Amino acid sequence: MTRASWASLPHDLAAAVEARLGAPVARAVDQTGGFSPGVAARLTLTDGRRAFVKAVSPTQNPDSPHIHRAEARIAADLPRDIPAPRLLDSFEQDDWVVLAFEDVPGRHPTDPWDAEELRRVMDALDGLAGRLTPSPVAAPPAAERLAGSFGCWAELAADRDAGTDDLGGLDPWAAAHLDDLAALESGWPQAVAGDTLVHGDLRADNILLTPDGRVVFVDWPWACTSTPWFDLLCMLPSIVMQGGPEPEGLFAAHPPARDAHPEAVDAALAALTGMFLVHARRPAPPGLPTLRAFQRAQGDAALSWLRTRLRPTLHA
């Protein structure tokens, strides 16, 4: 994916960023990771201060400005002791939505995952769930936030029945058990109900490991209230995809997951798997040409985990 660069920003917008930060930009280092076509740059100002700035307009992707606005709302309210970057400023100008954060020195976890780094992240995630229960900020419940994303198996089954989708390219096991998967995922709204504030989109590229040993969680636009184990469940397919251990053991060892009802976990995992695999069959969104392949890879990992959990009841 090709992001817009800091140098490509309209001159008036870059000047507005500098004015709001209080000093001109001496150096800008564009960041290339993540799944947004907008600008993401680490800035060094002439007075030595640093900031991380994100900016996007509907030209790059029509949905991205709404995502930036949601992130600004959550970031502004996160308590200062949460391991997340502090929002310095946000504003809109000429259809652009701009967010400025403190620049956190750090790097993403290695790919493939290193065992010690994964342990650090899991420990930090345990602590995060405890600190964010109950949610310290106003956020939509998961059933509301994910209403347009989960429930994909049922939509696919309806399209199959209507003759508008022949299930081409879908995993054969998933195609054979489509009705079972649709029935299983139907319980997802109740399964993910809870009062914990969750990140909602945890992957390695949304995590920074700092030189002083901290784990910092970045990019919070999808934050919502859910169960304390929901973030780990959503993150595990990407961990497997990037060379990490099998998911069931990690999930079982996660303290907030130890009291999770197995049927609730299955329903949530089924809905997550459907979102990845069904969305992966759709055309790429504007400005995001690599998203579908990434979703497919996570979906394959999630489906393998789901099949393992369902083996006693659903046979090949």
Side-chain angles (χ1 to χ4, degrees), residues 35 236-242 273 276-277 279-281 290-305:
F35 288 91
L236 280 171
S238 71
I239 290 176
V240 174
M241 178 190 72
Q242 294 177 320
T273 304
F276 285 142
L277 290 180
H279 285 197
R281 300 171 72 243
T290 63
L291 177 61
R292 297 312 189 202
F294 191 76
Q295 289 174 327
R296 176 59 187 263
Q298 290 184 94
D300 288 343
L303 185 65
S304 177
W305 182 21

Side-chain angles (χ1 to χ4, degrees), residues 37-182:
V39 172
R42 282 178 155 163
L43 306 181
T44 302
L45 308 180
T46 55
D47 61 8
R49 290 180 296 120
R50 300 173 63 87
F52 178 77
V53 170
K54 301 168 67 171
V56 75
S57 77
T59 301
Q60 284 84 44
N61 179 279
D63 296 323
S64 291
H66 304 296
I67 295 172
H68 274 37
R69 292 185 189 105
E71 182 175 6
R73 288 192 294 271
I74 291 293
D77 291 339
L78 283 175
R80 295 292 292 270
D81 64 336
I82 297 302
R86 181 167 59 92
L87 181 69
L88 303 176
D89 196 7
S90 65
F91 69 96
E92 299 191 29
Q93 179 174 307
D94 299 328
D95 290 333
W96 286 81
V97 181
V98 182
L99 284 66
F101 293 90
E102 66 171 327
D103 184 37
V104 177
R107 60 172 177 81
H108 299 306
T110 56
D111 183 1
W113 276 91
D114 170 80
E116 176 56 24
E117 291 182 0
L118 182 58
R119 183 199 62 77
R120 285 174 58 190
V121 170
M122 292 297 101
D123 288 347
L125 190 56
D126 291 345
L128 189 69
R131 177 62 186 83
L132 295 177
T133 305
S135 175
V137 306
E144 176 183 326
R145 173 68 84 193
L146 299 170
S149 300
F150 280 12
C152 290
W153 293 126
E155 294 176 9
L156 187 58
D159 290 340
R160 176 207 58 194
D161 294 344
T164 57
D165 196 316
D166 64 2
L167 309 185
L170 187 66
D171 177 271
W173 183 90
H177 293 284
L178 180 55
D179 293 323
D180 296 312
L181 293 171

Side-chain angles (χ1 to χ4, degrees), residues 239-293:
I239 290 176
V240 174
M241 178 190 72
Q242 294 177 320
E246 289 303 305
E248 190 65 29
L250 272 180
F251 189 79
H254 185 55
R258 289 173 186 164
D259 294 328
H261 196 288
E263 291 182 0
V265 175
D266 290 345
L269 179 57
L272 179 72
T273 304
M275 180 190 73
F276 285 142
L277 290 180
V278 175
H279 285 197
R281 300 171 72 243
R282 298 173 181 174
L288 300 174
T290 63
L291 177 61
R292 297 312 189 202

Side-chain angles (χ1 to χ4, degrees), residues 113 121-122 124-125 128 198-207 216-220 222 230-239 242 276 294 298:
W113 276 91
V121 170
M122 292 297 101
L125 190 56
L128 189 69
V198 299
H199 180 283
D201 192 28
L202 279 186
R203 307 181 305 265
D205 58 289
N206 284 335
I207 297 171
V216 179
F217 300 97
V218 306
D219 295 345
W220 289 73
W222 304 109
F230 186 67
D231 267 339
L232 180 63
L233 179 127
C234 292
M235 186 181 176
L236 280 171
S238 71
I239 290 176
Q242 294 177 320
F276 285 142
F294 191 76
Q298 290 184 94

